[in-house]
């Protein structure tokens, strides 16, 4: 089976784990690998059944956070049951609104930027 797993690099791993838990209900699964200097070397987070990896920046390995390079180069699309509620929760947790939720073509989507510079599109089907 093939599976795609995003790997996010952030400038404050511990704060990012807390944000993703508050904003999207993420939970850490498995073991977190912390470096001696306090940086998160690796952790796995799950939102529902989907997982993503996270680490702090490691410039020596080419891992740079959006805050360091000045922008995000990709976006994460997260399917949710209620875009408005998920969008409001993420903004309340510290995300920056980008595009308010709106519907078109049977879908509703809202865009935001998390405090670590990653862009998220919250998406749901409209029936």
């Amino acid at each position: 089976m093939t599976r795609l797993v995003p790997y996010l690099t952030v400038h404050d791993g511990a704060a990012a784990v807390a944000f993703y838990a508050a904003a999207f209900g993420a939970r850490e699964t498995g073991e977190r690998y912390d470096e001696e200097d306090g940086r998160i070397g690796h952790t796995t987070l799950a939102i529902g059944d989907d997982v993503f990896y996270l680490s702090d920046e490691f410039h020596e390995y080419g891992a740079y956070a959006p805050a360091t390079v000045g922008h995000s180069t990709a976006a994460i699309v997260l399917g949710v049951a209620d875009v408005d509620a998920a969008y409001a929760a993420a903004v309340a947790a510290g995300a920056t609104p980008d595009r308010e939720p709106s519907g078109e073509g049977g879908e509703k989507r809202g865009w935001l930027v998390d405090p670590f510079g990653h862009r998220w599109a919250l998406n749901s089907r409209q029936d």
Side-chain angles (χ1 to χ4, degrees):
M1 181 166 105
T2 301
R3 182 173 195 163
L4 179 67
V5 179
Y7 205 129
L8 302 183
T9 301
V10 297
H11 61 274
D12 185 345
V17 169
F19 168 79
Y20 296 128
F24 305 129
R27 64 196 186 288
E28 280 188 272
T29 61
E31 186 177 346
R32 180 194 289 192
Y33 300 100
D34 290 322
E35 299 295 319
E36 289 181 14
D37 63 6
R39 292 181 294 172
I40 293 177
H42 174 83
T43 192
T44 302
L45 294 149
I47 300 173
D49 293 332
D50 295 317
V51 299
F52 64 100
Y53 301 149
L54 180 139
S55 77
D56 273 297
E57 293 186 287
F58 287 86
H59 298 179
E60 60 273 31
Y61 299 118
Y64 292 86
T68 298
V69 297
H71 57 83
S72 180
T73 61
I76 299 136
V77 178
L78 177 62
V80 297
D82 181 342
V83 168
D84 294 314
Y87 191 90
V91 170
T96 301
D98 184 29
R99 286 179 261 167
E100 296 289 326
S102 64
E104 183 179 319
E107 294 184 337
K108 189 168 191 178
R109 182 173 292 157
W111 289 83
L112 48 83
V113 179
D114 72 29
F116 310 93
H118 293 286
R119 297 178 62 236
W120 292 76
L122 305 182
N123 187 63
S124 67
R125 302 274 316 144
Q126 287 184 315
D127 296 322

